[in-house]
Amino acid sequence: MRKSAMFLLVGIVGAMTILNGCQSAKTPPTTPTPQEIIKLRVSGYKAGSEIGAIPELNDQFMKENPGIQVIYEGMPGVPYSKYIKNKFAVNDAPDVIMLHPGEEHWGYAKLGFIRDLSEEPWATQFTPTALEAVSLDGKVYGTPNDTVVLGVYYNKDLFKKLSLQTPTNWSEFLAVCARLKEAGITPISIGNYDGWMTLVSLFAMGSSLIQDPDFNRKINAREIKFNGTWNEMTKMWFALNDIGYLTPNSTTVTMDQAQKEFTDGHAGMFINGSWALDGLLKANPDYKLGMFAMPAASTKEGTVLTVAAGTTWAINNKTKQLDAALKYLDFWAREQTLRQWTQTQGAFLTLRGAESDVPAELSEIYGFIEEGRIHEYLSNRWEQSGPAVDELMASVQGVYLDALTIEEMLTNVDDAWDRSASKGGGFR
């Protein structure tokens, strides 16, 4: 009986094996469906020598998220702002957008173009000061990636050769310029092909010279205007050109060309943001340089450093790749990511409790931050910052070319502001 049962069991198993074999022969094994690759469009105003760690960080993100392909498009800040504005206008904005902090970021938030990210876990990880640059009406609309500074880079070897000390006030600064010119060196390398470097220089000066703590409220209310408040500062700046302390014919020189003049050792100083440090060092790895705060004040104590949130990421409110975009911002909110990013931007961390790695080249100006001798980027709170800044960059070229007076330049800025305000415009 037991033998009969055993034979029956073996027969059943054998039959099942044959049937399975027949079934396998008739039905080939199914091939797994390839994972669909999500293409995440990301745009920013970091490109060329200022792109920093973006390519490496994008590669890291894609390695962690093999189903997402980041397509990054970068361009300089002036054309970029117009490009993004136009992309939103035709409903074709990228999924993730880098925005200038302050009015530009707030402007897109007011229009509902960028997503409220207040509930994201990383929203509480940043310092309150940093979050202010990306927050509106108590809601967070992006990541404040870094804090940057504006200052004067200088060639340490050249200063040592000429026995020059870093200047701490305006008269000392003029004396340094004079000594460099006497030595046959361009004192300040600058490119004004688009006027941006003059804008940066005026902003670096303005933190020390625009001393009215109520300036932003008054300029927004039109109680005061640029023509009448910026005249003395702009005269100080353009006097440098008249004396021959700036790159000759600078309206024909690009920023990259001005940077090369500096890194090649043909100029003693170069006014720019801390974000330019990585590009400067890559251009000449053997270069010894430092940075000091623009000493526009008449006294050392009056010198104030210009600081700002450097870059911010926001998410297009109409993105079709929301999950991927949220993962991208979560990646950028990590300390490891931001530490790698800030190291290539000469910038400082914006995370609570995180100590920044201060590059040796910026050690001289870090004391200003520790002492609180700082002022935010001048245009951050201007309600018509875009039109005002664009007109300022255009009109400064007219002054260099003797086509405009300083008063006419500043009046142009005021007129651009008022025209935009009358049409309900504003941010860049």
Side-chain angles (χ1 to χ4, degrees):
M1 199 64 182
R2 288 181 182 175
K3 285 186 178 180
S4 299
M6 181 64 71
F7 288 140
L8 179 59
L9 179 59
V10 171
I12 292 172
V13 172
M16 289 178 64
T17 303
I18 294 171
L19 286 172
N20 286 338
C22 293
Q23 187 175 11
S24 299
K26 292 179 181 178
T27 308
T30 56
T31 304
T33 304
Q35 183 178 7
E36 182 181 354
I37 300 297
I38 295 171
K39 294 184 178 181
L40 185 70
R41 295 170 57 204
V42 179
S43 290
Y45 49 84
K46 291 295 180 180
S49 61
E50 294 186 357
I51 198 168
I54 286 179
E56 293 83 1
L57 290 172
N58 282 343
D59 286 344
Q60 288 180 31
F61 174 79
M62 289 187 286
K63 193 172 183 179
E64 291 182 21
N65 299 274
I68 302 174
Q69 179 186 0
V70 176
I71 303 172
Y72 178 76
E73 183 176 21
M75 62 188 74
V78 176
Y80 174 79
S81 291
K82 296 176 181 177
Y83 165 80
I84 288 297
K85 205 168 188 178
N86 291 336
K87 283 292 186 181
F88 271 115
V90 297
N91 198 28
D92 187 37
D95 303 298
V96 178
I97 313 104
M98 182 182 286
L99 294 175
H100 293 89
E103 281 297 334
E104 182 176 76
H105 206 110
W106 300 331
Y108 282 112
K110 289 175 186 176
L111 293 173
F113 285 171
I114 56 178
R115 185 177 179 83
D116 175 9
L117 300 166
S118 305
E119 299 303 317
E120 293 304 306
W122 49 257
T124 58
Q125 296 175 11
F126 292 95
T127 65
T129 301
L131 284 174
E132 189 177 345
V134 294
S135 298
L136 181 70
D137 298 330
K139 296 180 179 179
V140 177
Y141 288 89
T143 59
N145 304 322
D146 50 85
T147 295
V148 294
V149 302
L150 294 181
V152 184
Y153 289 102
Y154 71 99
N155 183 324
K156 282 189 170 183
D157 287 337
L158 192 55
F159 268 51
K160 183 178 180 180
K161 179 181 178 181
L162 298 176
S163 300
L164 295 173
Q165 301 295 318
T166 53
T168 61
N169 59 46
W170 189 247
S171 59
E172 290 178 2
F173 182 68
L174 293 177
V176 167
C177 290
R179 183 70 185 91
L180 287 165
K181 187 180 179 184
E182 289 172 7
I185 302 293
T186 300
I188 304 169
S189 180
I190 190 168
N192 278 304
Y193 188 76
D194 60 6
W196 187 83
M197 291 194 74
T198 292
L199 174 76
V200 169
S201 300
L202 290 173
F203 279 8
M205 296 175 69
S207 289
S208 298
L209 299 178
I210 307 300
Q211 298 179 344
D212 184 353
D214 209 21
F215 181 87
N216 289 329
R217 185 197 65 77
K218 291 177 180 177
I219 200 79
N220 287 334
R222 306 312 280 151
E223 295 175 10
I224 58 175
K225 294 193 175 183
F226 292 100
N227 190 7
T229 58
W230 274 41
N231 303 63
E232 187 60 34
M233 179 176 70
T234 49
K235 285 178 182 176
M236 288 170 62
W237 173 258
F238 283 106
L240 298 176
N241 187 62
D242 296 338
I243 302 171
Y245 291 165
L246 305 183
T247 301
N249 303 313
S250 65
T251 57
T252 65
V253 179
T254 67
M255 183 177 67
D256 286 345
Q257 289 171 327
Q259 177 176 299
K260 189 175 189 304
E261 180 184 30
F262 177 61
T263 55
D264 283 351
H266 301 312
M269 295 178 286
F270 180 73
I271 303 171
N272 210 323
S274 54
W275 58 83
L277 178 61
D278 189 58
L280 291 169
L281 295 176
K282 285 179 178 176
N284 187 347
D286 299 325
Y287 206 43
K288 293 181 181 178
L289 55 84
M291 177 189 269
F292 57 84
M294 183 69 172
S298 59
T299 65
K300 175 181 178 180
E301 293 72 26
T303 298
V304 177
L305 181 71
T306 304
V307 303
T311 60
T312 71
W313 288 119
I315 294 179
N316 180 354
N317 219 0
K318 294 185 178 180
T319 178
K320 294 180 180 178
Q321 309 297 350
L322 179 57
D323 288 344
L326 288 172
K327 286 182 180 179
Y328 191 74
L329 263 65
D330 181 73
F331 173 82
W332 270 85
R334 299 179 194 171
E335 181 175 339
Q336 181 181 352
T337 301
L338 292 178
R339 194 169 291 279
Q340 185 174 344
W341 168 245
T342 53
Q343 286 173 349
T344 64
Q345 294 294 296
F348 306 101
L349 291 170
T350 51
L351 295 169
R352 292 175 183 266
E355 187 173 338
S356 297
D357 301 317
V358 182
E361 294 81 5
L362 303 183
S363 59
E364 291 175 67
I365 55 91
Y366 190 63
F368 284 83
I369 297 175
E370 292 181 313
E371 296 169 16
R373 293 169 59 193
I374 58 177
H375 190 286
E376 69 177 334
Y377 218 75
L378 293 192
S379 63
N380 272 12
R381 298 178 188 274
W382 297 348
E383 291 178 358
Q384 304 299 325
S385 62
V389 164
D390 289 345
E391 183 57 47
L392 183 59
M393 289 190 296
S395 285
V396 295
Q397 293 170 299
V399 179
Y400 285 116
L401 297 171
D402 294 325
L404 291 173
T405 66
I406 287 174
E407 288 72 23
E408 288 170 336
M409 177 195 79
L410 294 174
T411 296
N412 285 350
V413 176
D414 285 318
D415 290 346
W417 180 299
D418 294 334
R419 282 195 304 270
S420 177
S422 68
K423 296 177 183 177
F427 64 95
R428 302 184 74 178

